[in-house]
Amino acid sequence: MGKRATHVVVVDDHRLFGAALGAALVAEGFSVTVPELTDLVLLGRVVLREAPDVILLDLDLGAVGSGEMLLGAFVGSGAAVLVVSGTTDETMIGRCLDQGAAGWMSKCAPIDQLLESVRAVAAGTQRPRPRRPPPAAPQQRLSAPVTSFDWLTERESAVLAMLMEGQSVARISAACYVSEATVRTQVRAVLHKLGVNSQLEAVALATRAGWSLASAAAAQSARGPRSVGARRTMPRAERRMSSATNVSAPS
């Protein structure tokens, strides 16, 4: 009798993403279930009935609710839970890691990285993201100059880059397998942090500043890694200026 295949359950409200990821996992030799989403209670029962080895959990399950509500039961079942989500809420991600999630991966990550993370979690060899990395020393945090763009999270930076390419909210949503409402929230965060009123102003500001994803990555590297669950705090004066800006809803 051959060795039993590792059983993975993909919990995601985007059927196209779930089906594509499931097919890729099957090709890698995993046994995969992608359950229908109805309500949180029934969904939790269906997943636990599968007795999975690994659960890939999206935190934003659309109309069904928050995947975070299911995390405790999933971890308690003994399954390794890998959060695969488009959320940029570092506080929420930190809570999930503290509750026992094996790690976190962005839904926009390349498929080979997602598969590598699932293999690592299934083997119990590593976490895709550290549970609680040591905080940076004060001199490390202040070692590089800070601009408005440095307040953007990784996901917000990616959204800004896509806006600079002329992509609409709908196309960003489809490319990253997140809802349009989530993208609009991310766009509003970009506008708020840059102190501008519209997507056009944000793109113009980034263009004038010579900003790009590559320059953002270089600046982040100079400051050192940002820990999951840790937020940079905007200076008080900049918070006042930004909060005074009338941010219009993105289209």
Side-chain angles (χ1 to χ4, degrees):
M1 182 180 295
K3 182 180 178 182
R4 183 182 73 88
T6 299
H7 187 41
V8 180
V9 174
V10 180
V11 181
D12 197 285
D13 66 321
H14 287 82
R15 299 187 65 178
L16 179 61
F17 176 81
L21 181 56
L25 288 166
V26 169
E28 290 286 314
F30 292 96
S31 166
V32 179
T33 299
V34 184
E36 291 283 340
L37 271 60
T38 50
D39 63 73
L40 281 180
V41 174
L42 181 58
L43 176 61
R45 291 173 181 167
V46 169
V47 172
L48 294 177
R49 229 176 6 239
E50 290 285 327
D53 301 297
V54 177
I55 300 172
L56 306 184
L57 177 64
D58 188 5
L59 297 180
D60 180 5
L61 298 178
V64 174
S66 171
E68 187 181 0
M69 301 296 292
L70 299 171
L71 183 60
F74 288 172
V75 170
S77 73
V81 182
L82 175 60
V83 174
V84 180
S85 183
T87 183
T88 60
D89 189 335
E90 294 176 348
T91 300
M92 181 183 290
I93 294 169
R95 286 200 306 267
C96 291
L97 294 174
D98 286 339
Q99 291 181 64
W104 169 83
M105 285 292 294
S106 169
K107 290 175 72 170
C108 291
I111 189 66
D112 58 334
Q113 290 184 16
L114 288 171
L115 294 175
E116 181 183 357
S117 296
V118 175
R119 286 192 294 266
V121 169
T125 57
Q126 69 180 66
R127 292 176 180 270
R129 290 292 174 99
R131 168 178 279 275
R132 186 67 75 212
Q139 59 268 28
Q140 290 177 306
R141 291 198 296 268
L142 301 175
S143 60
V146 173
T147 70
S148 296
F149 298 100
D150 295 321
W151 307 122
L152 301 180
T153 66
E154 180 180 343
R155 183 90 289 276
E156 290 161 0
S157 294
V159 167
L160 176 57
M162 292 181 189
L163 292 176
M164 293 176 72
E165 294 171 357
Q167 303 220 30
S168 66
V169 165
R171 293 188 65 179
I172 296 173
S173 168
C176 295
Y177 298 102
V178 296
S179 67
E180 291 188 21
T182 296
V183 176
R184 289 192 181 93
T185 297
Q186 293 164 347
V187 171
R188 281 194 290 269
V190 171
L191 303 185
H192 176 77
K193 292 178 181 179
L194 297 186
V196 296
N197 297 321
S198 70
Q199 297 176 30
L200 288 177
E201 288 184 61
V203 169
L205 179 63
T207 302
R208 286 197 304 270
W211 181 92
S212 67
L213 272 181
S215 65
Q220 179 60 42
S221 177
R223 289 191 301 273
R226 182 189 301 181
S227 63
V228 172
R231 290 188 179 273
R232 296 179 58 85
T233 303
M234 296 175 67
R236 193 171 301 170
E238 184 164 346
R239 286 204 304 271
R240 286 199 299 269
M241 178 182 69
S242 184
S243 62
T245 303
N246 179 22
V247 180
S248 60
S251 60

